[in-house]
Amino acid sequence: MGENAISGNLKNLTIDTRDSETLVVCFGEMLIDFVPTVGGVSLAEAPAFKKAPGGAPANVAVGVSRLGGSSAFIGKVGDDEFGRMLADILRLNNVDNSGMRFDHNARTALAFVTLRADGEREFLFFRHPSADMLLSESELDKNLIQKAKIFHYGSISLIEEPCRSTQLAAMKIAKASGSLLSYDPNLRLPLWPSEDAARKEIMSIWNLADVIKISEDEITFLTGGDDPYDDNVVLQKLFHPDLKLLVVSEGPNGCRYYTQEFKGRVGGVKVKPVDTTGAGDAFVSGLLNSLASDLTLLKDEKKLREALLFANACGAITVTERGAIPAMPSMDAVQDLLTSSASHRS
């Protein structure tokens, strides 16, 4: 596709969403991750880097589409080679990118990411400022937001203005349109000015969400060091009165769930991990794809447990391949894994 066709506001790249009744709209950042060509090294030791599309909301949008669902992405990238590449990647993955905007002055965000030998992830971000931080309220595709069955977002857009106010405005539009609001804070401390600022902003929109997914580390961080495995900590400090579902992801061990009426645990699906990048986003896309088709599972524990097992399998498949977007699974791959893991258990 010619360069001129993908610049500007991308109005001509709208994709017919397969079913607007189940549309999942993801809001936030999309960027380029640079990952070392070898594992277990620091960024300084890496001999070379390979570029990969990244950004949790964009990963979730692709994950939903890969499962056969209907999804769209709203965010801003630079009017540069990387920005156009990211818009193209969404289009090729059947994600509606008509809500993307292009900044002529700021660049597409870059992140250098490595998994060191000690298992810790190391991040180096180039956002000074990057285009994703500059999305303004006037650039929002309000019609697209209003079509959302589910409106999904994170916390990284809350770090700086104007995108902080833009996210709040988008959430307000979605809520007024009857969308289910889905929140994955996706804590990235190096991007925040301080721990206190991160905690304050992440919690500032907590009570607006209908569905929240958090990790064990995020529980510890948000509660100031409390035990992430204690149900009372989760219920008293993080479960708000209007919340329909709170899910705590536990990586290979599966997840815990809390609703107004019931709580429990769903075990993980065992695989041999290669790269954990994007596993949480694949989990979220699996859950949101199920929810978009059937909101009644929020009130039906048996159906919810099935949906969470499915989401666990989505996350499990993603860790068997490198990268996030390339590793997002198809519906067939998830069903195959669930079938084989069930036969191993029986």
Side-chain angles (χ1 to χ4, degrees):
M1 178 172 283
E3 187 171 309
N4 292 337
I6 356 185
S7 62
N9 277 354
L10 272 192
K11 292 290 185 192
N12 56 344
L13 267 191
T14 307
I15 290 161
D16 290 333
T17 44
R18 275 160 282 196
D19 183 359
S20 61
E21 295 298 307
T22 61
L23 179 64
V24 177
V25 175
C26 301
F27 175 97
E29 71 283 357
M30 189 174 193
L31 59 147
I32 305 283
D33 284 335
F34 284 90
V35 186
T37 50
V38 296
V41 294
S42 70
L43 291 175
E45 294 164 341
F49 294 89
K50 183 181 177 187
K51 70 179 190 297
N59 291 344
V60 171
V62 171
V64 168
S65 178
R66 195 74 57 83
L67 291 167
S70 174
S71 68
F73 174 75
I74 291 177
K76 198 172 197 183
V77 291
D79 188 16
D80 51 39
E81 285 291 316
F82 285 148
R84 289 188 284 274
M85 180 191 105
L86 293 174
D88 245 1
I89 284 167
L90 290 181
R91 183 179 58 81
L92 292 168
N93 281 283
N94 293 314
V95 175
D96 182 339
N97 64 8
S98 61
M100 279 183 90
R101 301 292 178 257
F102 292 77
D103 197 288
H104 300 293
N105 298 311
R107 296 288 186 210
T108 301
L110 308 179
F112 288 80
V113 191
T114 188
L115 191 66
R116 298 195 311 239
D118 61 6
E120 284 298 311
R121 279 210 286 185
E122 189 182 335
F123 292 94
L124 181 61
F125 293 96
F126 286 76
R127 301 169 87 236
H128 305 290
S130 54
D132 60 292
M133 300 154 71
L134 300 177
L135 183 69
S136 64
E137 189 177 339
S138 63
E139 294 175 303
L140 282 176
D141 187 333
K142 295 181 174 65
N143 291 332
L144 185 57
I145 297 169
Q146 287 167 343
K147 288 179 193 164
K149 178 81 168 275
I150 298 174
F151 184 72
H152 176 71
Y153 49 89
S155 71
I156 287 172
S157 296
L158 299 175
I159 298 171
E160 295 274 358
E161 292 290 0
C163 64
R164 180 183 180 276
S165 294
T166 306
Q167 173 164 333
L168 297 177
M171 289 166 59
K172 197 172 178 181
I173 294 165
K175 196 81 165 175
S177 307
S179 306
L180 187 85
L181 265 55
S182 164
Y183 184 24
D184 177 0
N186 201 36
L187 178 67
R188 291 286 178 268
L189 261 183
L191 290 176
W192 291 89
S194 69
E195 288 195 9
D196 285 345
R199 205 175 282 115
K200 178 173 171 285
E201 286 297 332
I202 287 170
M203 295 308 293
S204 72
I205 60 170
W206 199 261
N207 292 353
L208 299 171
D210 298 300
V211 174
I212 297 175
K213 174 260 176 192
I214 44 173
S215 67
E216 299 151 299
D217 290 345
E218 286 164 349
I219 295 174
T220 304
F221 176 76
L222 293 172
T223 59
D226 287 354
D227 180 1
Y229 304 102
D230 185 338
D231 283 348
N232 291 326
V233 166
V234 175
L235 289 168
Q236 287 167 23
K237 294 201 173 182
L238 298 174
F239 197 95
H240 69 77
D242 297 322
L243 195 56
K244 295 179 172 68
L245 174 64
L246 177 67
V247 180
V248 180
S249 58
E250 297 183 342
N253 298 319
C255 64
R256 306 199 306 274
Y257 59 89
Y258 304 84
T259 74
Q260 305 275 4
E261 283 133 35
F262 42 78
K263 62 180 175 27
R265 216 180 147 272
V266 177
V269 182
K270 295 288 174 272
V271 291
K272 189 173 181 182
V274 172
D275 175 16
T276 59
T277 307
D281 300 330
F283 174 91
V284 170
S285 61
L287 175 59
L288 296 187
N289 190 58
S290 299
L291 271 174
S293 303
D294 184 7
L295 287 178
T296 66
L297 60 80
L298 292 168
K299 298 278 187 186
D300 183 328
E301 189 169 14
K302 182 175 181 290
K303 284 203 289 192
L304 178 62
R305 289 182 64 85
E306 286 170 6
L308 290 170
L309 180 61
F310 179 87
N312 285 345
C314 290
I317 289 174
T318 306
V319 306
T320 63
E321 285 185 47
R322 292 200 181 277
I325 284 177
M328 293 284 160
S330 66
M331 182 65 81
D332 285 347
V334 181
Q335 301 289 12
D336 287 350
L337 177 61
L338 287 170
T339 304
S340 66
S341 65
S343 63
H344 286 152
R345 284 197 303 267
S346 57

